[in-house]
Amino acid sequence: MSLMKRLIFTILIFFVSTSSALFAQSVQTGIEFYEEGNYERALRIFDDIDLPESNLFAGKSYFALNNFLKAKYYLNKVDNTSDDIIWEARYTKALADFQLKNFGASLDALYNIKQNSRQLSVRREAYTFYRDLISYLTLDQRFKAFRAVDNDNVRLDLVESAIGSVDLASARSLFSAYKNVTVDPDTTQWSSIESVLDDSARYRQRYNPDQFPDAPDGITYNIGVALPEFHLESSEFEISQHLYFGIQLAIEKFNSENSDKKAFITYRNTDALASNASSIANDMVWNHDVDAIIGPLFSEVAAELSKYAELYETPLLTPLANSDNLNLNHNYTYQLNPTFAIQGKKMAQYAINTLGYDTLAVIAERGSLGEPSAVAFLDEARKLGGEVVRYYVEDLASDGYDISEYVQYFNPEVDTVFNYNIDAVYAPFTGNIAQTLISSLLTNLEAMQSEITILGSEEWETVDLDTRWLSQAEIYYTKTFEVHEDSPINQEFTSSFRLRFDTEPNKFAYIGYDAANVLLETLKRVKNPVYLREGLEGFNNYRGLITGVSFRDTQINQEVKVKKATSEE
């Protein structure tokens, strides 16, 4: 070899060894960032190095960021290296397939790892995750996994683990399907399975339809948050901001209290445009695989977003919307704020069951939000045996909100035909004209020197009775959100909120916190997000920071307080 060739060869060896050393040093730096939880910074290193170890940790970093498809891309590149790295990559890929709900692929991989890996820690983790996953699946997920797996032993495990967790007919069908598709079966386990399936009484003892299977450790839940952004100077800015802060605080508390499960937030700005609902819903489901969505604020956007919640079977929990038309024909839209119809229903129950009234009157503005309250009050009062003897849902605006022609018939001395002794009048006045109508009703009752009880909407809370002759009158009104600032739990929340966000929480922070907790507590109970709809409808007797929550097999919160107005001495 010539001197020149030797020199070139030496230089090449120098550069190769130097590059290898630099790459190794960079990979180690990236691993340090990964172990610190600084995944984005770690990826800036791993993405530029095509080595087995860097691909492994690139995959693990993307997995930690919930980008499971990209994680699989890098994990699939791990090959022709040490067993430790290969099996770690395969195990992480199995976890990614689980998060992507590719349960068949995940089970096949986990079974292969637990049977063949010589790395004890990975084999042990794969065994545990395999056992938990195969028990976790719903009947539909089990069926799809059964069709997707390649290993007959995994199919048999899917059948065996279903015994006691699905109904008898379904268990028999699963076992029959297994026998039909297995080419070279191991029949040694068949007799024990058949003995259980042939004895219906014995099977009933094992079957508990009300118990939700545990989730594998490490499961993650993704909560979508769809709220509008406002300019800092806008009066509405703190509504969205504090709703989001409340949700964030609930998520952080959940994560600190649960080492075996975590929740994450995916936020999207809705603006006030219903046309944004399509792109928001598709992005959240396709790119972030959200399990549920909290929001939005505006009824038009909520109505449009609810269509996509239905399409993707992803529960939508609206924190403020109380329209009675929002979830018509939609099974996946839930309202934290009770609708006006629910408020009317609850007031009728209170009037008859608590106050003992049986002769009632109703007056409301046609076309207002109070109209569904009036209709629901009428229906519920009749169901409970009460009698609504005067029912006026009229175009009060056309008369300049002069309601004297209706109120006069609440006076038995004027109503000489029927001479009803009306116990109470329900007046669910809402919106901009509420105070005008309240004043008009009170003025007319004062003129009549009536002692009739007034039942009303939340707008009646601010009525100042001290300046009126009716200062001794009884007024009851519905209330959906109320903060008890002296409560120890609320004081703890206020302190945590102030420390976390350097500001005092407003009522929307409490609402956001309660909304997130409704979803998180339900997920904690049902474990599998597929059961979230069922879990929400059975979510009852929750006492939050600002509201109680009971869906009672409906999609609308049924918890409404009835408060008594008191005059200030």
Side-chain angles (χ1 to χ4, degrees):
M1 182 183 295
S2 69
L3 180 61
M4 180 60 69
K5 286 184 177 179
R6 263 197 234 98
L7 182 59
I8 292 172
F9 181 75
T10 303
I11 292 171
L12 286 173
I13 292 294
F14 172 78
F15 277 121
V16 168
S17 60
T18 302
S19 297
S20 298
L22 289 173
F23 279 148
Q25 185 177 1
S26 295
V27 169
Q28 185 56 43
T29 301
I31 292 174
E32 290 173 4
F33 286 140
Y34 170 83
E35 291 175 345
E36 292 170 1
N38 196 340
Y39 306 117
E40 292 89 349
R41 195 167 181 183
L43 284 168
R44 287 200 289 271
I45 295 175
F46 296 138
D47 283 346
D48 293 332
I49 305 173
D50 190 12
L51 294 174
E53 194 171 18
S54 64
N55 287 328
L56 169 64
F57 277 93
K60 290 167 73 73
S61 296
Y62 279 115
F63 179 88
L65 293 170
N66 289 344
N67 193 335
F68 305 119
L69 288 174
K70 214 161 189 177
K72 286 180 62 177
Y73 169 79
Y74 282 94
L75 295 168
N76 282 331
K77 294 176 69 176
V78 177
D79 205 355
N80 298 324
T81 186
S82 68
D83 277 357
D84 287 356
I85 293 178
I86 288 176
W87 288 114
E88 179 72 21
R90 290 177 181 175
Y91 177 67
T92 306
K93 181 184 171 186
L95 299 184
D97 274 319
F98 165 73
Q99 297 292 354
L100 290 167
K101 300 179 176 59
N102 299 329
F103 299 123
S106 182
L107 287 169
D108 271 338
L110 291 167
Y111 186 87
N112 180 42
I113 295 167
K114 77 183 184 68
Q115 293 295 113
N116 299 308
S117 173
R118 290 190 295 273
Q119 189 177 353
L120 181 60
S121 61
V122 173
R123 188 169 74 242
R124 186 165 48 241
E125 289 177 5
Y127 171 79
T128 301
F129 202 89
Y130 178 87
R131 179 197 62 203
D132 294 344
L133 173 53
I134 213 158
S135 300
Y136 163 82
L137 302 177
T138 67
L139 180 59
D140 181 58
Q141 290 170 339
R142 193 175 297 274
F143 169 75
K144 291 174 181 175
F146 185 92
R147 290 281 185 90
V149 297
D150 295 324
N151 192 311
D152 283 339
N153 291 320
V154 177
R155 289 195 181 94
L156 182 59
D157 288 341
L158 282 166
V159 173
E160 278 199 294
S161 61
I163 295 175
S165 65
V166 303
D167 62 273
L168 178 58
S170 297
R172 286 172 173 169
S173 296
L174 276 170
F175 186 51
S176 175
Y178 169 74
K179 290 192 291 185
N180 287 338
V181 302
T182 306
V183 176
D184 187 20
D186 178 2
T187 60
T188 56
Q189 293 176 272
W190 285 20
S191 58
S192 61
I193 296 175
E194 287 173 334
S195 65
V196 176
L197 298 181
D198 288 342
D199 189 341
S200 58
R202 180 182 174 189
Y203 193 90
R204 280 196 299 272
Q205 290 178 345
R206 297 182 60 166
Y207 179 50
N208 183 2
D210 298 323
Q211 181 175 342
F212 295 104
D214 288 333
D217 285 357
I219 189 171
T220 62
Y221 303 116
N222 199 350
I223 307 299
V225 177
L227 295 171
E229 292 179 5
F230 297 103
H231 292 296
L232 185 61
E233 299 79 13
S234 168
S235 60
E236 298 170 308
F237 173 78
E238 287 194 344
I239 297 177
S240 283
Q241 184 194 53
H242 280 238
L243 273 168
Y244 183 84
F245 284 168
I247 294 168
Q248 185 177 350
L249 202 60
I251 295 283
E252 291 173 358
K253 187 172 187 292
F254 177 85
N255 289 339
S256 69
E257 294 176 348
N258 295 279
S259 60
D260 59 339
K261 58 182 72 69
K262 299 298 176 193
F264 297 92
I265 294 176
T266 295
Y267 168 75
R268 288 296 175 269
N269 174 23
T270 64
D271 290 324
L273 302 175
S275 58
N276 288 347
S278 172
S279 60
I280 289 169
N282 288 319
D283 176 55
M284 283 188 168
V285 172
W286 281 80
N287 294 322
H288 302 281
D289 199 26
V290 297
D291 298 304
I293 301 172
I294 299 175
L297 290 188
F298 301 110
S299 57
E300 296 83 1
V301 185
E304 192 66 20
L305 197 56
S306 67
K307 297 177 184 178
Y308 290 91
E310 191 75 12
L311 176 66
Y312 290 118
E313 298 184 349
T314 301
L316 172 69
L317 179 63
T318 60
L320 299 179
N322 53 9
S323 167
D324 289 283
N325 298 319
L326 184 56
N327 57 29
L328 290 178
N329 302 317
H330 291 163
N331 298 315
Y332 286 86
T333 300
Y334 296 83
Q335 293 173 251
L336 186 72
N337 193 5
T339 65
F340 289 97
I342 293 297
Q343 294 178 49
K345 177 182 177 180
K346 293 299 179 182
M347 184 58 87
Q349 293 172 354
Y350 190 85
I352 293 172
N353 295 335
T354 303
L355 299 178
Y357 295 156
D358 58 12
T359 307
L360 304 161
V362 173
I363 184 166
E365 168 79 354
R366 183 187 303 155
S368 72
L369 295 173
E371 182 175 357
S373 296
V375 173
F377 182 94
L378 174 67
D379 291 342
E380 188 66 15
R382 287 174 173 173
K383 287 179 185 177
L384 296 175
E387 189 175 3
V388 178
V389 296
R390 294 294 178 193
Y391 182 78
Y392 302 120
V393 177
E394 305 290 343
D395 181 11
L396 304 178
S398 62
D399 296 324
Y401 303 115
D402 179 6
I403 58 177
S404 57
E405 69 170 290
Y406 306 109
V407 179
Q408 64 177 324
Y409 290 106
F410 300 164
N411 188 346
E413 295 181 5
V414 174
D415 183 13
T416 56
V417 177
F418 297 102
N419 199 31
Y420 293 123
N421 287 308
I422 298 174
D423 297 315
V425 55
Y426 182 46
F429 300 145
T430 60
N432 295 330
I433 51 88
Q435 295 306 317
T436 300
L437 289 172
I438 287 172
S439 179
S440 181
L441 178 58
L442 291 176
T443 299
N444 278 276
L445 292 177
E446 282 178 333
M448 293 161 44
Q449 297 187 2
S450 172
E451 295 181 356
I452 192 172
T453 295
I454 300 171
L455 313 173
S457 52
E458 191 163 338
E459 281 78 356
W460 285 87
E461 180 180 16
T462 58
V463 172
D464 182 7
L465 295 178
D466 292 333
T467 60
R468 293 183 173 273
W469 175 83
L470 289 170
S471 60
Q472 300 303 313
E474 290 189 339
I475 298 178
Y476 298 89
Y477 58 91
T478 51
K479 193 170 182 65
T480 54
F481 295 126
E482 184 177 30
V483 177
H484 297 288
E485 296 180 354
D486 294 335
S487 162
I489 296 177
N490 282 19
Q491 289 178 343
E492 179 184 348
F493 170 81
T494 301
S495 176
S496 299
F497 190 95
R498 190 188 303 116
L499 288 171
R500 179 68 175 82
F501 304 111
D502 195 27
T503 186
E504 292 292 324
N506 61 25
K507 78 169 187 176
F508 300 105
Y510 292 93
I511 293 172
Y513 186 86
D514 280 347
N517 270 329
V518 167
L519 290 179
L520 294 171
E521 288 297 317
T522 305
L523 284 167
K524 189 174 179 179
R525 182 167 62 90
V526 303
K527 288 92 170 179
N528 192 329
V530 171
Y531 294 120
L532 190 51
R533 176 189 166 196
E534 176 185 342
L536 284 171
E537 292 184 3
F539 189 90
N540 299 313
N541 304 318
Y542 171 79
R543 293 293 169 260
L545 299 181
I546 196 170
T547 186
V549 182
S550 294
F551 286 107
R552 304 200 184 284
D553 299 320
T554 72
Q555 294 162 255
I556 303 169
N557 183 13
Q558 305 290 304
E559 294 283 349
V560 177
K561 293 181 180 179
V562 177
K563 308 279 291 184
K564 183 178 181 181
T566 56
S567 60
E568 297 182 5
E569 297 296 336

